[in-house]
Amino acid sequence: MPFSKTVIRNNYTSMGKEIPARNEDYSLWYNELVKKADLAEHSEVRGCMVIKPYGYSIWEKMQQALDKMFKDTGHSNAYFPLFVPKSLFEAEEKNAEGFAKECAIVTHYRLKTDPEHKGKLMVDPEAKLEEELVVRPTSEAIIWNTYKKWIQSYRDLPILVNQWANVVRWEMRTRLFLRTAEFLWQEGHTAHATADEAVRETVQMLDVYAEFAESFMAMPVIKGRKTDSERFPGAVDTYCIEAMMQDGKALQAGTSHFLGQNFAKAFNVKFTSKEGKLEDVWGTSWGVSTRLMGALIMAHSDDDGLVLPPKLAPIHVVIVPIFKSDEELKKITEKVDQISAALRKQGYAVKFDNRDTHKPGFKFAEWELKGVPVRLAIGPRDLENGTVEVARRDTKEKQVMKLDEVSAAVPRLLDDIQQSIYQRALGYRNEHITKVETYDELKKVLDEKGGFVSAHWDGTPETEAAIKEETKATIRCIPLDVKEEAGKCVYSGKPSNKRVLFARAY
RNA sequence: CGGGGCGUAGCGCAGUCCGGUAGCGCACCUGGUUUGGGACCAGGGGGUCCCAGGUUCGAAUCCUGGUGCCCCGACCA
């Protein structure tokens, strides 16, 4: 049925806060969900988004958890400038080349009133910068240039710094959270005396990311190494965590880079070793961004809206009263206050939705759209029976329980939800790793089933590029736990000693 | 950067072909009835029709030139 997207759009938006079905148009489902759930919206600036309070509070939860993990592994936060002088930016050649095409550049520092157009401003041609400033697409340049001043001896090492910041990459095509021109992220930048220590740091932070993805986001990931062509510009080795979305497309959720001595050499960062020798410093960098929000949304949510893992939900429990009179509401509120207090005491965020402007059904739908893990409903019947209705967002199951059991039951329920959405995502992910032996199979799986395709590859960039060209699939990673196994490249037939994961990706 | 679409009330859109007082749904405000899965009735408020110029007695509508955003592709952590 050749309905245009415009037609589909008409159908649901006129109905209020409904979103299109995932299996009809996954991409439209995602876009509408982000907007309708109050996570983010497009701004006046092309490719840039406004993260709304509800969306931002999820991001803050992510930040808190990650920040703690960084601190627990010995890192400290710092802040470096938004602007990078062009001469610094170009110092590490590969890095500069890699990002050159998507840099925003500041060329002037002043506006003036436009004599030709009343009330308008124009760039003051007199105020041209002597040296242009690049708006950071990443901060290695400015940071390594700074580290040069901080490091003289092995005693100054290691430096274990992280910064929470915004960066700008002038993307041609953007999508809310998944790829925006400006995005928020954290970038860790560490400096070490030995290669071994730097590699250990790189892997350690990859483990931190994997741990965060799995135990907080409830999103299983595959740890792996990128191929040469997918490597971070300027890095020796790029490690990643790859996740699987519900539409069978892969998403890179975090990266950790072993920089070798590349940036040290480019910025002349040397240290005197214990033995009195002058050596180049070893480096790492690692980051995750607001893209994780996109991953979180696409990993769990359904046609009724967001499904949030309790560990990242801004509101754990919403309580909806069902009442006819003020009198009734008052009685219900007394009970609700007791429950709320008991839950808050245990550290949960509780929302009592006592608006008298909306009916319960409306509230149920709205909080489901926003992904609140647990909903309690209390009405006159419950007052009589000393009960409360408990509903879980992930499965939509409802049960009625005794009021005095609630404060003990809710924590168990939240734990169960956290586990069960992880298990569901894990099940989906595992079902979508398909081993293939031939190129025809690889293409067939990509087209008909999606997901990761595990196949032998001859290790050459030519084969990788050819497969990408023909199938739109890229090598997502060489899994860290890959086992050596003799085989033949699905494309070239040349010998291969391990399988890699192919997928179409975000 | 190529192809397409769209800029009209807070949101989603109709009206544009064929010029003549700017409309519909949702949302909003007031009053009432409702409230265990997206309430109903009555009344009401709100718009430089993206911008600039032109044609015309008269432009959301026709002409010219801008501009912004979205979608698809290419590119890309």
Side-chain angles (χ1 to χ4, degrees):
Chain A
M1 196 74 68
F3 282 122
S4 75
K5 285 183 178 177
T6 317
V7 172
I8 293 167
R9 183 175 284 133
N10 287 347
N11 287 346
Y12 65 84
T13 47
S14 61
M15 302 288 290
K17 288 206 162 185
E18 277 177 45
I19 54 176
R22 278 174 299 175
N23 60 15
E24 265 177 37
D25 188 332
Y26 194 82
S27 166
L28 193 59
W29 165 81
Y30 174 83
N31 289 341
E32 288 302 318
L33 175 51
V34 168
K35 286 184 266 196
K36 295 267 164 65
D38 273 338
L39 301 177
E41 62 191 35
H42 291 287
S43 71
E44 293 305 302
V45 190
R46 179 201 160 83
C48 294
M49 65 179 161
V50 173
I51 305 176
K52 299 181 75 176
Y54 191 65
Y56 199 81
S57 62
I58 297 171
W59 174 240
E60 283 179 316
K61 288 268 195 174
M62 290 184 173
Q63 284 184 300
Q64 281 163 17
L66 285 164
D67 202 63
K68 180 167 192 310
M69 295 170 96
F70 299 156
K71 305 269 172 68
D72 287 349
T73 44
H75 303 84
S76 302
N77 287 331
Y79 187 79
F80 295 83
L82 172 66
F83 304 118
V84 186
K86 188 159 81 57
S87 57
L88 282 189
F89 185 72
E90 61 202 9
E92 209 296 324
E93 228 171 298
K94 288 222 171 65
N95 187 251
E97 238 175 70
F99 287 105
K101 294 185 299 287
E102 44 194 322
C103 286
I105 304 112
V106 180
T107 55
H108 291 74
Y109 59 86
R110 196 196 297 144
L111 296 171
K112 64 173 193 177
T113 53
D114 186 343
E116 313 262 310
H117 303 279
K118 218 177 169 204
K120 304 279 185 199
L121 293 172
M122 60 180 286
V123 173
D124 187 344
E126 303 289 307
K128 198 167 183 313
L129 288 171
E130 297 210 356
E131 179 175 6
E132 285 118 349
L133 298 172
V134 176
V135 180
R136 62 179 168 215
T138 180
S139 300
E140 276 78 4
I142 191 87
I143 288 178
W144 279 89
N145 188 62
T146 307
Y147 282 179
K148 175 171 60 185
K149 300 176 213 166
W150 293 1
I151 300 167
Q152 266 107 78
S153 124
Y154 72 91
R155 294 175 188 164
D156 298 321
L157 296 171
I159 293 178
L160 303 173
V161 162
N162 174 65
Q163 86 164 338
W164 289 95
N166 58 339
V167 287
V168 170
R169 296 181 187 176
W170 216 260
E171 300 290 347
M172 294 176 187
R173 192 142 145 50
T174 59
R175 293 194 69 191
L176 293 170
F177 289 121
L178 295 173
R179 174 170 284 112
T180 47
E182 180 194 16
F183 58 91
L184 306 183
W185 77 344
Q186 60 62 220
E187 46 182 327
H189 296 272
T190 68
H192 307 266
T194 65
D196 187 56
E197 189 183 303
V199 169
R200 281 205 312 272
E201 166 78 4
T202 310
V203 173
Q204 172 186 246
M205 296 325 285
L206 188 76
D207 287 341
V208 163
Y209 288 155
E211 166 68 18
F212 172 76
E214 300 193 338
S215 64
F216 285 84
M217 298 175 70
M219 180 177 77
V221 293
I222 292 171
K223 291 188 278 189
R225 186 185 304 220
K226 287 292 189 189
T227 61
D228 292 0
S229 67
E230 299 275 328
R231 195 197 297 138
F232 176 73
V236 170
D237 231 330
T238 288
Y239 295 81
C240 62
I241 51 170
E242 291 285 329
M244 179 52 49
M245 301 296 101
Q246 297 180 58
D247 62 348
K249 284 173 81 173
L251 186 142
Q252 176 179 300
T255 50
S256 185
H257 317 290
F258 170 58
L259 302 176
Q261 296 170 307
N262 291 348
F263 284 87
K265 287 194 164 111
F267 291 91
N268 198 26
V269 188
K270 294 179 190 296
F271 72 103
T272 310
S273 70
K274 246 180 189 160
E275 294 74 32
K277 282 198 301 189
L278 204 55
E279 292 176 27
D280 291 316
V281 172
W282 299 85
T284 83
S285 66
W286 28 274
V288 296
S289 71
T290 36
R291 182 177 229 208
L292 288 180
M293 292 287 293
L296 184 69
I297 296 159
M298 288 197 291
H300 307 302
S301 303
D302 62 25
D303 289 349
D304 294 316
L306 217 50
V307 174
L308 293 174
K311 285 190 184 175
L312 294 176
I315 299 169
H316 296 107
V317 180
V318 64
I319 306 177
V320 177
I322 292 142
F323 60 98
K324 290 195 172 71
S325 63
D326 285 352
E327 201 61 21
E328 234 163 36
L329 177 60
K330 209 175 150 195
K331 281 184 195 154
I332 291 167
T333 303
E334 282 170 23
K335 296 290 177 198
V336 169
D337 285 346
Q338 292 169 19
I339 299 170
S340 304
L343 290 174
R344 289 198 178 110
K345 211 162 147 189
Q346 298 176 77
Y348 297 106
V350 182
K351 167 87 184 170
F352 179 35
D353 187 355
N354 59 358
R355 289 176 292 179
D356 60 2
T357 50
H358 296 277
K359 290 180 63 175
F362 179 92
K363 295 177 183 177
F364 293 173
E366 181 165 276
W367 293 113
E368 278 163 10
L369 179 63
K370 291 193 151 196
V372 176
V374 171
R375 181 188 72 230
L376 307 182
I378 306 181
R381 270 205 315 263
D382 296 300
L383 285 184
E384 236 170 78
N385 306 330
T387 56
V388 56
E389 183 193 80
V390 181
R392 55 188 287 174
R393 173 63 185 88
D394 61 337
T395 60
K396 297 293 208 62
E397 288 164 333
K398 289 192 257 194
Q399 61 181 115
V400 173
M401 63 174 68
K402 289 284 174 194
L403 256 170
D404 54 15
E405 292 170 3
V406 170
S407 73
V410 165
R412 284 200 303 272
L413 186 54
L414 288 168
D415 278 350
D416 190 55
I417 292 170
Q418 183 81 31
Q419 292 312 317
S420 103
I421 63 176
Y422 174 77
Q423 287 303 330
R424 192 199 299 190
L426 182 64
Y428 180 89
R429 202 279 309 275
N430 288 343
E431 280 162 28
H432 286 79
I433 301 177
T434 313
K435 273 191 184 180
V436 304
E437 308 305 329
T438 68
Y439 192 46
D440 281 344
E441 276 180 274
L442 180 136
K443 286 191 281 195
K444 191 165 184 260
V445 172
L446 284 172
D447 285 338
E448 290 170 14
K449 182 181 173 189
F452 292 116
V453 184
S454 175
H456 278 284
W457 166 58
D458 62 20
T460 69
E462 290 76 20
T463 296
E464 186 183 9
I467 294 176
K468 183 180 176 183
E469 171 71 26
E470 291 169 29
T471 66
K472 311 265 186 234
T474 48
I475 298 177
R476 299 319 300 162
C477 70
I478 304 155
L480 293 190
D481 62 3
V482 71
K483 49 180 198 295
E484 296 276 322
E485 153 192 316
K488 278 185 188 159
C489 172
V490 287
Y491 191 81
S492 68
K494 287 182 199 159
S496 150
N497 65 355
K498 56 179 167 297
R499 289 170 183 273
V500 299
L501 292 178
F502 288 88
R504 297 201 176 117
Y506 278 98

